[in-house]
Amino acid sequence: MAEPLIVKICGIKTPDMLEVAIEAGADMVGFMHFLRSPRHVSVEEVASLISEARGRVQTCVVLVNPDNSCVAEIAALGPDWIQLHGPETPHRVEAIRAEAGVEIMKALPIGGPEDIAHVAAFAQIADRILLDAKPPKGADRPGGLGESFDWSLLKALDPGLDFMLSGGLTPDNVAEAIRTVRPFGVDVSSGVETAPGVKDKRLIEAFIRNARAAQ
């Protein structure tokens, strides 16, 4: 029996959308604490969203190259996961994991075969790996920014590696992504939005429904 697929809805900003994601059957929700993101939420908002979600869905706070005080402040709120989405080195990921005492998901941008080569070093340290599209050249923030990457690159990965897939996923392509790539989980943010940072109830429900059906 295959493990149940993990579905993560990321970039949630409001209690209303948190409820929508939980009711639609999300396994994880992500909150973005990064000023340059249209999905940024303050520490106070993160605290309130985490307490609202506690015991109902796994919570994940996304940080980009955080300093130690930021890590400590977020870890104190008691999320289930911290997701590192910046240029953190394996050494830095290890240090943050030791300091935070929270499970760490490391997002790694994939654009070509050379990026696949870096995955193994992080896989030994992070509790979970999230493979995302490389940002377009000149982008001011990390992530696929709504674009997917060439999934065939993942054939070069260690077949024993569990990972989550992100980058350009939508209700329309998530089933194909799951059948093609066989990830441990899928993660969506802009693919369930009507405008940057504006989540849509119907898109969230369709994404989760299509992801579950594909499994």
Side-chain angles (χ1 to χ4, degrees):
M1 174 71 189
E3 288 286 310
L5 182 82
I6 300 288
V7 180
K8 173 168 170 263
I9 307 292
C10 200
I12 285 179
K13 293 167 69 172
T14 65
D16 290 357
M17 278 303 140
L18 174 61
E19 289 305 321
V20 165
I22 292 172
E23 281 170 27
D27 301 289
M28 296 182 82
V29 289
F31 312 122
M32 196 78 204
H33 184 59
F34 179 56
L35 273 170
R36 290 213 298 272
S37 170
R39 301 165 191 92
H40 171 72
V41 278
S42 68
V43 171
E44 295 69 31
E45 289 169 314
V46 170
S48 140
L49 288 163
I50 286 175
S51 64
E52 196 81 12
R54 189 165 278 120
R56 303 166 67 206
V57 66
Q58 289 216 324
T59 54
C60 176
V61 181
V62 181
L63 303 175
V64 178
N65 219 16
D67 62 21
N68 289 351
S69 64
C70 174
V71 170
E73 191 172 29
I74 293 299
L77 304 178
D80 295 297
W81 293 83
I82 287 176
Q83 177 177 321
L84 298 173
H85 216 111
E88 301 89 4
T89 62
H91 179 72
R92 179 68 182 136
V93 171
E94 200 166 21
I96 289 173
R97 185 170 178 247
E99 187 195 340
V102 172
E103 291 198 277
I104 299 293
M105 188 180 324
K106 176 67 183 112
L108 295 170
I110 304 295
E114 68 286 355
D115 300 315
I116 298 290
H118 296 193
V119 172
F122 288 97
Q124 293 159 5
I125 291 160
D127 298 286
R128 192 173 289 171
I129 293 293
L130 172 72
L131 301 179
D132 195 1
K134 226 177 192 159
K137 277 199 167 47
D140 69 342
R141 51 186 209 274
L145 309 184
E147 297 297 315
S148 54
F149 62 92
D150 176 3
W151 297 328
S152 69
L153 290 167
L154 301 180
K155 294 191 175 107
L157 275 179
D158 172 355
L161 174 72
D162 280 336
F163 63 90
M164 289 184 69
L165 180 69
S166 182
L169 297 180
T170 67
D172 295 334
N173 69 8
V174 66
E176 183 201 352
I178 289 165
R179 286 193 292 262
T180 308
V181 177
R182 301 264 170 226
F184 167 83
V186 286
D187 177 16
V188 68
S189 187
S190 62
V192 290
E193 292 179 349
T194 50
V198 184
K199 294 281 183 282
D200 181 85
K201 178 176 191 282
R202 283 186 311 246
L203 291 175
I204 289 176
E205 290 167 348
F207 184 89
I208 295 176
R209 192 169 56 241
N210 296 350
R212 300 270 180 240
Q215 211 199 359

